[in-house]
Amino acid sequence: MAFGERFRGYAGAMVGTLQENRIAQIVKNAVKQSLENPSVSLTEATLGSLSRSKSGASIDKETILGITAFWRAVQILSGVIASLPIDVYQVSEDSATKLRNHPISRLISKSPSQLCTKFDFMQTLVLHLVMYNNFYGQILRRGDGRPASIRILDPEPGKIKINETETGTVTYRYKLDDKREIRIPAENMLHVSGLSWNGLSGISIMETFRETFGTAISSMDFVSNFYSNGAMLSGAVTVPQKLDAESYSRMKKSWKESYGGTANAGSTAILEQGATYTKIGLSPIEAGIESAKRFTVTDVSRITGVPQYLLEDLERATFNNIEELGISFRTYTLYPLCQNIQAEFSRKLLSNAEQDEYEIRIDLASLLRADSEARAKRIDALMKWGIINRDEARAEEGLNPIADGTGQDYYIPLNMVNPANPDGQLSLFGNSQTDTNANPG
């Protein structure tokens, strides 16, 4: 058995054991909850436990996106990737030429799906990738085998199952909304995955960081309930005598109306009939909510790779390091993400015969368009050393070529010489030309 197969088998067994242990604990807790409260069925208790953290917070896609720092991080990643150009390139050892007339050029650069634009499609792709660590898209092909469109599939757990045979053949089984199941061969499934144990399916983000998200959600719930129940009153009211049902209801209603809610924050309580108030709760400051909120931003930054200053946390950002933080974001977050996406696009949307000559690439250089100074320096350097001509520089700025054709000429500095022939002047294409003004002596 090959090492790769043994590793996949070991990883699969390890993941399976961890899942079995967790499920066993969940069922055990659900049985206990159902016995203590017969009105809660075993099924309800089990499903509730599966989606809750230790802090009691419900963990699902809606509650996680309700974390403001996470929402902003997803919005930034998906928006940036969706705004970048993606095209087919013809590549060789020393060049890469963008092709606008390739059969799938319009598909990937304009409208990958019949239901949405390229921007919407890529935004959804990154959203699924950040939330679930997996994006699934069914490739619908024409009669000649070329991709016609890509159908976005629901990545929710239980909707898609991956089957791998002993020979390495992979098939995807997708459950439709009407409970029917369809089988999709691997060559017709655009599957972009993140960090993975087996190289096939990405590790669940929601499951891995369940407690991190749960703490953030519980902190928000605490603050909401705190203000709902009275911003500065959280304790017990005691009276010396026993209250009947009517007196209890009247006092409770009066207290809620007078001191409950944010509108009554900081009110002074007026007690009657010898009643006393004893504080038994914690304020948000005492409970460390502000610190927890800062930690949430830090944790989200670590999980998504989006710098904290982009999540509106400028505590450690300075004018001296903002530029370096931006470069770090492009290098360590955006670049690997783009490489992952374009590798799967090339593998599934180009035919086997084309993959040696063509590639699908996402153009990260277009990010410089937002920085006019950096863009000008880049174009100046490329033109100065004869790497691009004036027409190519104008094309990057969205301008038309120079009408008389002189924009096709390349230029290099006059003092450039060939080290192998110091007496000759270096031409643009590397051929040495004799300097007719050289001193013959």
Side-chain angles (χ1 to χ4, degrees), residues 150-181:
I150 304 170
R151 177 191 177 197
I152 299 174
L153 302 181
D154 187 352
E156 278 285 338
K159 293 284 289 185
I160 296 180
K161 295 181 180 179
I162 304 175
N163 294 336
E164 183 182 15
T165 65
E166 294 181 355
T167 60
T169 302
V170 176
T171 303
Y172 294 80
R173 292 187 297 160
Y174 180 65
K175 186 179 294 185
L176 301 172
D177 292 338
D178 60 6
K179 306 303 181 184
R180 289 186 298 115
E181 190 176 84

Side-chain angles (χ1 to χ4, degrees), residues 384-397:
K384 183 181 294 183
W385 299 106
I387 299 173
I388 64 174
N389 57 41
R390 286 181 294 167
D391 278 353
E392 290 169 328
R394 291 173 64 85
E396 287 196 15
E397 295 299 303

Side-chain angles (χ1 to χ4, degrees), residues 412 414 416-418 420-438:
I412 60 172
L414 290 174
M416 293 290 290
V417 297
N418 185 346
N421 183 12
D423 293 331
Q425 191 177 45
L426 181 67
S427 75
L428 176 61
F429 301 101
N431 297 321
S432 178
Q433 297 176 345
T434 301
D435 185 354
T436 56
N437 296 321

